[in-house]
Amino acid sequence: MAYLSAMLKISALDLIRKPDRLTLGIELPLDNDWSPAGEARRVAAGRPRGVPDLSAQTDLVRRADALGFAAVWMRDVPVFDAVNMGDAGSVYDVFTLLGYFAGLTRNVALGTAAVVLPIRHPLMTAKAVASVDALSGGRLILGVASGDRPVEYPLLGLDFEARGLAFREAVAYLRQAWQPGGLPINGERIPNLDLLPRPAQQMIPMVVAGQARQDDAWLGTNMDGRFVYPGSVEKMTLQAARWHEATSGHGAFISAFHLDLLDDADAAAESIRFGARVGRKGLITHLNALAAAGVDHLAINLRQSGRPPAEIIEELASEVMPALVSNPKAQAA
């Protein structure tokens, strides 16, 4: 059973996991730099390849919040490795950005995909996470990972090969630090030391991105959800079934989708990296198939979109999300 579901009646996971439908979120950064038009603008602006255009992001996040999107997701990329990775992620420190959007939004869950736990001291992570959760009124979903960028570990004097053990230790520390009764030192809780602010949620949900060098049994016991790379409906069906078995059906199953939504609503789907170029009707069909496969939430990435992200957000809210209310999975149940 997932850790959180045994303890809480209400959590930020309730914002993205609905019994009757798949929910949609937005993955930052909110630009379309990976489209031909976006690449031309980047070159004209003199921005390095991999550094996103964030000029409209704040307004777009506000609009997504108002339109009923379930979540906004942001990545943890401490160092821009232009040669080996070529992607600066969301640019800003992930906890600073979370706090900023906590004050600008009212409804969406704020998710990380994902904070690399072993490269931070767990006490400082616990305080930053608790602060965001308190400031947002309990809307934080903490996506966590062990990290796949080896350059970060030597920069911090840390052992890349030990990241699996460090991940488990960090998870255990966070669970204790968010509860009253003292902070742990060398495995012993010191009752006169406390962590402030207290999170708004009794226990902040943790969602694992990738495997984090753990087996399914450990993840199913200690994680409240799973965030996987985009894949086919067939692949998602198998992954979701495995995860639901590991968590006795209590763990949320989340993925992402790179979308280039075409003007022609009837346009057939064409595969692109991590997603599809497709018209609205084909997208709705695909999303309902993912729901039937066991996917609870999908983070939409618009970086490959030929149309402006603002247009896509409006169309998703007005035309696509209402069509997802009748979830085949719920109907079958």
Side-chain angles (χ1 to χ4, degrees):
M1 177 179 292
Y3 189 95
L4 184 67
S5 61
M7 300 181 60
L8 297 182
K9 296 181 180 179
I10 298 173
S11 94
L13 284 179
D14 296 330
L15 297 173
I16 69 166
R17 194 181 191 198
K18 304 295 183 181
D20 61 338
R21 66 187 187 278
L22 175 82
T23 64
L24 298 184
I26 292 292
E27 182 181 359
L28 303 185
L30 261 173
D31 68 0
N32 62 342
D33 264 20
W34 293 349
S35 68
E39 172 66 6
R41 287 194 304 272
R42 181 196 67 78
V43 172
R47 275 184 291 111
R49 182 184 296 274
V51 177
D53 176 9
L54 303 179
S55 59
Q57 180 165 274
T58 295
D59 290 338
L60 292 173
V61 168
R62 284 196 184 105
R63 189 63 182 146
D65 182 56
L67 288 173
F69 284 84
V72 173
W73 296 91
M74 54 209 79
R75 295 164 58 205
D76 179 19
V77 182
V79 178
F80 177 37
D81 184 351
V83 174
N84 297 306
M85 302 302 292
D87 181 5
S90 303
V91 176
Y92 297 106
D93 172 78
V94 65
F95 291 117
T96 301
L97 193 58
L98 283 165
Y100 178 64
F101 286 130
L104 290 179
T105 60
R106 294 292 178 268
N107 306 303
V108 290
L110 300 173
T112 60
V115 168
V116 182
L117 290 184
I119 65 173
R120 291 178 169 82
H121 192 285
L123 172 59
M124 304 311 294
T125 301
K127 187 171 182 73
V129 170
S131 298
V132 172
D133 195 58
L135 290 169
S136 67
R139 291 186 284 128
L140 180 62
I141 299 173
L142 183 63
V144 292
S146 62
D148 59 0
R149 300 186 177 214
V151 69
E152 295 167 353
Y153 281 79
L155 279 172
L156 297 165
L158 299 172
D159 183 0
F160 183 68
E161 297 304 322
R163 64 194 186 280
L165 173 60
F167 179 87
R168 293 194 299 274
E169 291 175 342
V171 168
Y173 188 100
L174 295 175
R175 297 290 191 198
Q176 291 187 61
W178 291 328
Q179 294 296 299
L183 292 174
I185 298 180
N186 297 325
E188 180 183 354
R189 304 196 76 178
I190 309 302
N192 61 305
L193 299 178
D194 205 357
L195 182 74
L196 297 177
R198 184 65 54 205
Q201 300 176 80
Q202 182 180 347
M203 186 60 70
I204 296 166
M206 286 195 221
V207 172
V208 65
Q211 198 71 28
R213 299 183 70 81
Q214 313 302 321
D215 59 36
D216 285 348
W218 189 94
L219 293 175
T221 300
N222 291 277
M223 294 287 110
D224 308 296
R226 183 158 208 171
F227 201 126
V228 302
Y229 276 107
S232 66
V233 172
E234 293 76 17
K235 181 178 180 180
M236 291 288 184
T237 301
L238 294 174
Q239 288 179 309
R242 193 174 77 180
W243 178 244
H244 292 148
E245 180 180 359
T247 63
S248 300
H250 295 285
F253 189 78
I254 305 162
S255 188
F257 189 80
H258 287 235
L259 174 65
D260 183 5
L261 187 62
L262 301 175
D263 280 315
D264 180 4
D266 295 306
E270 173 190 347
S271 293
I272 60 176
R273 188 169 187 262
F274 292 141
R277 181 172 294 112
V278 64
R280 179 174 69 246
K281 293 180 181 178
L283 176 64
I284 291 170
T285 298
H286 181 68
L287 295 181
N288 280 328
L290 289 177
V295 179
D296 296 302
H297 177 79
L298 204 65
I300 301 294
N301 185 304
L302 299 176
R303 305 209 72 192
Q304 299 184 63
S305 172
R307 296 166 59 193
E311 288 185 15
I312 307 302
I313 287 173
E314 296 288 339
E315 185 170 346
L316 289 173
S318 63
E319 303 292 340
V320 175
M321 289 197 295
L324 303 180
V325 171
S326 297
N327 184 334
K329 181 175 61 176
Q331 290 179 350

